[in-house]
Amino acid sequence: MQIHNFNPGPSYISKFVIEKSIEGIKNYNNSGLSVLEISHRSSAFLNIIEQAKELSLALTGLDNKNYSALFLQGGASTQFLMTAINFLKTKAGYINTGSWSEKAIKEAKNIGTIEEISSSKDKNFSYIPETPTIDSSLDYLHLTSNNTIFGTQYNKFPATTIPLFADMSSDILCRELDYSKFDLVYAGAQKNLGIAGTTLVIIKNELLEKINTAIPSILSYKDHVEKDSLLNTPPVFPIYVSLLTLQWIKEQGGVKEIEKRNREKAELLYNEIDTNPLFNGFANEKDRSLMNVTFTLADEKHEQKFQSLCDEYNINGVKGHRSVGGYRASIYNALSIESVETLVDCMQKLKQSI
Ligand SMILES: *Cc1c(COP(=O)(O)O)cnc(C)c1O
C-alpha cells in the first residue's frame, strides 16, 4: 500500500535512498561490513564524507577552494547557537519570519546583542517582510529562507555588504539559487537531505578568519573545518543517507530538474486551493513556499469529513502546525507529483461530496 507522506520533517524518503540504505546496512559496497559498523576513520567512510561534501558544493554551484562543507550534529538548532558564538561580536541583525527565526534570535541573545531588522509577526508570519537598508557595522545578517511552519519562502534575498547567513533547513537544493550570495548556510538533513542526525553547513572560507577566539572547539567552525568534519565521531549513517540523497538529486538531472518538478507540484496544489471554494491559502500569494503549502478549510465543519477522506486516500501528515492551524502539505524534493495529485483528488472529492 502506498502512503502519501506529507510530513514536515522527518519526511518522505525516495525509494532509491531507502533501497540503497538497506543495501549499505546489510553489506556496504560488498565489503562484508555494514555501514552501521564501519570506523569513521576507515577509507570507506572517508570516501563517503568526501563525496558528500563534494556533491553538496557541486549541487550548490560553489567551489571547494572558497567554501567548505561540513556535516555536523546537533540539528539546525545547534547552528542557531554556533553562528552566534562564532561570529557575534558587537551586534548582529536578524530577520524574523517565524518560529525558527525566533528560536535563532533567542539563542543569539544568550551570546550578545541582536537587532531585529524586520518581522512579519504582525500578520502571524503570513508574508516575507521588506528588508530595510542594513547597517554595515553589524557582524552579520541572519534569515530563514523558507518558513516551514507558515509556508512562506524568500524569492529575492536582501543585498548586503555584511556576511549573510541563512537557515535553509526546509528548502536547500529545492531550486536554482546563487549560493555565492551567502557566507554561511545550514540545513538539518531531515527535510531535503535525508534523515535526522546530521546538519549540512556550507561556509565561506574567508569567514573562518573572523571567528571569535576562545570558544569551545566542538562549537568552532574553524576546528571542524581543520579536522575535515571529523573532530569527533560523526553520524556515519545519517551522512551516508545524505550522500545517497545528493546522488539521487544528481541522477534526477540536478537542481534544475528538481526545481522544475517542485514548481509543477506547488502550482498544482496552490491552484486547487485557489479554485476550490472549500479551502483558503494561508500565506501571502507572492511569498508562497515551494516546500510547505499551508491552507485552511473555509468552514471548519468539514474537518471530520476531510480527515476521513485523507485516511481513505492514504494521505499522511497534512495536519497544520498548532500555531497556524488548518493544514500543511510538505512537498519536499523527493515527494512525487503523484502524491500531490492524490491530495488534489481528495480535495476535489470533498467538494463533490458536499
Ligand atoms: C526543522 C527546522 C529546524 C529545526 O531543525 P533541528 O534539526 O530539529 O534542530 C530549524 N529551522 C528550520 C527552518 C526548520 O525547518
Side-chain angles (χ1 to χ4, degrees), residues 19-167:
E19 292 304 323
K20 288 277 189 183
S21 299
I22 293 169
E23 264 175 46
I25 287 176
K26 287 186 172 163
N27 182 1
Y28 175 68
N29 244 355
N30 279 325
S31 63
L33 291 172
S34 164
V35 70
L36 301 177
E37 60 182 353
I38 58 173
S39 163
H40 63 294
R41 305 281 173 202
S42 64
S43 60
F45 180 68
L46 295 182
N47 188 31
I48 289 172
I49 193 162
E50 268 320 304
Q51 283 189 67
K53 290 196 284 191
E54 250 178 63
L55 261 179
S56 308
L57 292 174
L59 290 169
T60 48
L62 297 170
D63 65 84
N64 58 8
K65 285 193 189 61
N66 293 306
Y67 294 85
S68 300
L70 298 168
F71 282 90
L72 303 181
Q73 303 193 55
S77 300
T78 300
Q79 294 310 306
F80 301 159
L81 160 67
M82 270 179 78
T83 41
I85 202 169
N86 280 267
F87 299 111
L88 179 48
K89 297 173 204 300
T90 322
K91 198 200 260 185
Y94 279 74
I95 298 179
N96 184 4
T97 49
S99 316
W100 296 116
S101 311
E102 286 184 325
K103 287 184 183 171
I105 290 170
K106 180 167 171 266
E107 291 302 310
K109 277 184 175 166
N110 288 323
I111 307 292
T113 308
I114 74 108
E115 183 181 324
E116 197 174 279
I117 301 288
S118 54
S119 167
S120 50
K121 197 177 178 134
D122 59 339
K123 290 185 183 159
N124 197 20
F125 302 114
S126 57
Y127 69 105
I128 297 287
E130 292 297 321
T131 312
T133 314
I134 293 155
D135 179 355
S136 62
S137 71
L138 293 173
D139 296 318
Y140 59 84
L141 176 67
H142 180 284
L143 59 81
T144 316
S145 54
N146 180 69
N147 301 289
T148 326
I149 292 172
F150 301 93
T152 62
Q153 185 176 29
Y154 270 89
N155 284 312
K156 193 168 170 289
F157 290 95
T160 58
T161 51
I162 57 173
L164 181 60
F165 297 175
D167 174 0

Side-chain angles (χ1 to χ4, degrees), residues 281-294:
F282 173 77
N284 190 19
E285 249 176 74
K286 76 174 190 17
D287 302 321
R288 283 174 163 179
S289 168
L290 285 175
M291 298 279 98
N292 309 97
V293 178
T294 46

